[in-house]
Amino acid sequence: MADIDVNLTELPAAGAGARRPCMVLGTGNIGTDLMAKLLRSDGLELTAVVGIDPASPGLARAREAGLEASAEGIDWLLAAASPATIVFDATSAGAHRDHAPRLAAAGLRCIDLTPAKLGPSVVPVVNLDDHLDAPEINLITCGGQATIPIVAAVARVTEVPYAEMISAVASLSAGPGTRANIDEFTRATARGLEEIGGATRGKAIIVLNPADPPILMRNTVFCALDAGADQAAVAGSIAVMAAEVATYVPGYRLTTEPVFDDGRVSVFLEVTGAGDFLPPYAGNLDIMTAAAVRVGEELAKASLLEGVAQ
Amino acid sequence: MTSGDTPYPAKITVVDSTLRDGSHAKRHRLTVEQVRAVAGALDGAGVPWVEVSHGDGLGGSSLNYGLSLVDELELIAAATSVLTTSRLAVLLLPGIGTKDDLARARDLGAALVRVATHCTEADIAPQHLGLARDLGMTAVGFLMMAHLAPPEALATQARIMADAGAEVVYVTDSAGALLPSRAAERVEALRAVLPTDVAIGFHGHMNLDLGVANSIAAVRAGATWVDGATCGMGAGAGNTPTEVLAAVCDLEGIETGIDTFAAMDVAEDIVRPILDRLPFVGRSSLLLGYCGVYGSFLLHAEQAAKRFGVSEKEILLEVGRRKAVGGQEDMIVEVGAELAGLGLRQPGREA
């Protein structure tokens, strides 16, 4: 699987086969799941996991995986990172607001998984190309990662005056940060449906479901359509988009054919997590870490191309 | 367990939800004229609180739950304009409505908000309860689908809401699935853990025909806030009818402050004429109560059954099996589509 013995200093300069170094900041569930995914990335080489609690199980897991692990936080990271290092911030919105200016001052690219939302909002299959140069990128919300691609798929075929999404996630997969700031989810996701998905107006709804065993993340997207919209083209575009998302979120799938009636298309989809560290029902968390890795890999690819061009 | 040995509270506060829970029964098509007429009549009958919102709370107007014919803010303003002694309440479900929605409702005269969560998810409510307090509103917690949580677990959740500023916490029987003894156990469990200055409420439905009986059992157990809807106009087989509640409370010696004869007139003369159908324990609404399915799913299941040509009963049973909670109306359409053979999950059709 992952070649974790490669020493950063032995890496060849940008060129075919080179992997770009990255570090994970944050040693909670998200940070640990990211670690598992990054360890098998072709384009990225995870060089360290950084936290602030020496007793954190996440740091212990990083050490077990043969990675460098520090409990000295952003200070350690800034000292240890090479200029090419991509930083995945999986801490909290508050911590990220402290990290962001320091990472920017050091010229380090950052992919932000917290709700701080300081950089441009990105869904990898929709608008990453517009933000390849951004100092940091934010990943909106889990529901946004799941549903914005569908809205974009419809909007590239026909006008979408209104899009609405409903995410239902297992209670166990919604952490205290999400719960204490649930308005941020609805606002940020609705904005993403508009600004990235291309709907004129967007609305987002989130429901926490405590069923035991836990439910898989499920999402519904409703797009209002003009009477003359080409249904076959819309359905085709949705199928293509779903397959593209599934290239980096393997558990992403439509549960029914798109349903056309009442002047709308209804799309039902479910996200099973890869089960790297987080349990498979937590598709909502998996889609965030998977999207983060995809963004990192695309940044790495873009920098390689730049290297070649230079 | 509580067979009359507990002294009744002398007085309860009634919230009439005809213009909120009744929004479900009207498929969210209430008009300004209807709202003005009902709110004015409830005010005349001395009902202390009149709740006005989309059925799924502020911000509920959506393709998922049904688009409001008239913007709820316009309806709230219409109701406020006719209230003299009654005051206006609204509902908000975190995850659907936002703090902005609440602030706008308050600007139009809402003086109380029920912040509603599934019975195990109280910790998504503090943002909104806190804002309600900051805005000078009465902050109320509303624990929905209360039949799904054992009494002690429900009490723990109630405590979270009280700690976040709720002055009243409700045992909300959204599925109309509680029996009198189970309603009482839950109220008692809340009473045991909540500070004495936090009141307990009960919100009942008629899916098992027990809304009134459950409300009286809840009052015996210590509840001092009780919800009704005039003529029972509400989700599923309807709510505890306000006029029946008022009458039974009179006979039981529980003071509501409501003029019972006037409440009967509101039901007969004002609300009954605007009902799309009489609230009734039909097969589907009975199924809701019997299987413990969220009350407002009823009309959505009926619609999906027609749309896909499948059985309404099968939809409700399958949604129940998938353990849908309040707010997951979209799952009804998905289940309908799957029952109609549009599903992609069957063996051999893996996407």
Side-chain angles (χ1 to χ4, degrees), chain A residues 58-142:
Chain A
L59 285 181
R61 284 188 200 97
R63 278 189 207 99
E64 276 165 36
L67 293 168
E68 194 152 8
S70 165
E72 285 159 50
I74 183 84
D75 294 333
W76 185 92
L77 182 144
L78 289 171
S82 75
T85 300
I86 294 172
V87 178
F88 291 88
D89 193 339
T91 58
S92 66
H96 181 70
R97 280 189 279 271
D98 291 338
H99 299 156
R102 301 187 62 191
L103 293 169
L108 297 178
R109 304 291 297 276
C110 179
I111 297 166
D112 171 27
L113 289 91
T114 79
K117 312 216 184 312
L118 304 179
S121 299
V122 165
V123 177
V125 277
V126 183
N127 70 334
L128 177 56
D129 290 347
D130 301 340
H131 301 292
L132 284 171
D133 296 329
E136 70 165 88
I137 279 170
N138 99 76
L139 294 170
I140 321 165
T141 60
C142 55

Side-chain angles (χ1 to χ4, degrees), chain B residues 3 8 92 110 115 141 188 201 246 280 315 345:
Chain B
S3 52
Y8 285 3
L92 185 149
V115 180
E188 283 164 6
F280 171 67
I315 292 178
R345 273 193 282 220

Side-chain angles (χ1 to χ4, degrees), chain A residues 52-265:
Chain A
I52 50 170
D53 175 7
S56 152
L59 285 181
R61 284 188 200 97
R63 278 189 207 99
E64 276 165 36
L67 293 168
E68 194 152 8
S70 165
E72 285 159 50
I74 183 84
D75 294 333
W76 185 92
L77 182 144
L78 289 171
S82 75
T85 300
I86 294 172
V87 178
F88 291 88
D89 193 339
T91 58
S92 66
H96 181 70
R97 280 189 279 271
D98 291 338
H99 299 156
R102 301 187 62 191
L103 293 169
L108 297 178
R109 304 291 297 276
C110 179
I111 297 166
D112 171 27
L113 289 91
T114 79
K117 312 216 184 312
L118 304 179
S121 299
V122 165
V123 177
V125 277
V126 183
N127 70 334
L128 177 56
D129 290 347
D130 301 340
H131 301 292
L132 284 171
D133 296 329
E136 70 165 88
I137 279 170
N138 99 76
L139 294 170
I140 321 165
T141 60
C142 55
Q145 290 297 331
T147 59
I148 291 168
I150 301 298
V151 176
V154 179
R156 68 189 175 188
V157 176
T158 184
E159 208 171 312
V160 179
Y162 175 76
E164 178 179 313
M165 64 77 75
I166 303 98
S167 266
V169 305
S171 295
L172 283 174
S173 69
T178 304
R179 288 166 176 275
N181 299 289
I182 200 152
D183 268 21
E184 306 312 316
F185 176 96
T186 47
R187 287 205 191 102
T189 309
R191 207 164 41 237
L193 296 175
E194 296 167 1
E195 292 172 4
I196 306 171
T200 310
R201 201 160 64 80
K203 180 171 182 65
I205 293 168
I206 181 168
V207 179
L208 306 184
N209 183 315
D212 183 25
I215 61 159
L216 296 175
M217 182 205 202
R218 56 177 313 290
N219 304 276
T220 297
V221 182
F222 296 118
C223 293
L225 297 178
D226 288 338
D230 180 343
Q231 296 187 357
V234 169
S237 178
I238 290 169
V240 168
M241 182 64 88
E244 277 176 56
V245 176
T247 61
Y248 60 95
V249 189
Y252 183 91
R253 65 168 177 270
L254 304 178
T255 61
T256 76
E257 309 281 1
V259 176
F260 292 89
D261 65 356
D262 272 356
R264 73 183 80 152
V265 58

Side-chain angles (χ1 to χ4, degrees), chain A residues 6-77:
Chain A
V6 175
N7 185 314
L8 178 59
T9 54
E10 293 169 4
L11 273 181
R19 293 197 298 161
R20 182 152 170 188
C22 66
M23 294 184 182
V24 172
L25 192 50
T27 60
N29 292 337
I30 300 286
T32 305
D33 194 75
L34 257 178
M35 176 184 90
K37 287 181 167 61
L38 288 167
L39 283 173
R40 56 168 189 265
S41 167
D42 291 332
L44 297 166
E45 192 207 3
L46 181 59
T47 61
V49 173
V50 183
I52 50 170
D53 175 7
S56 152
L59 285 181
R61 284 188 200 97
R63 278 189 207 99
E64 276 165 36
L67 293 168
E68 194 152 8
S70 165
E72 285 159 50
I74 183 84
D75 294 333
W76 185 92
L77 182 144

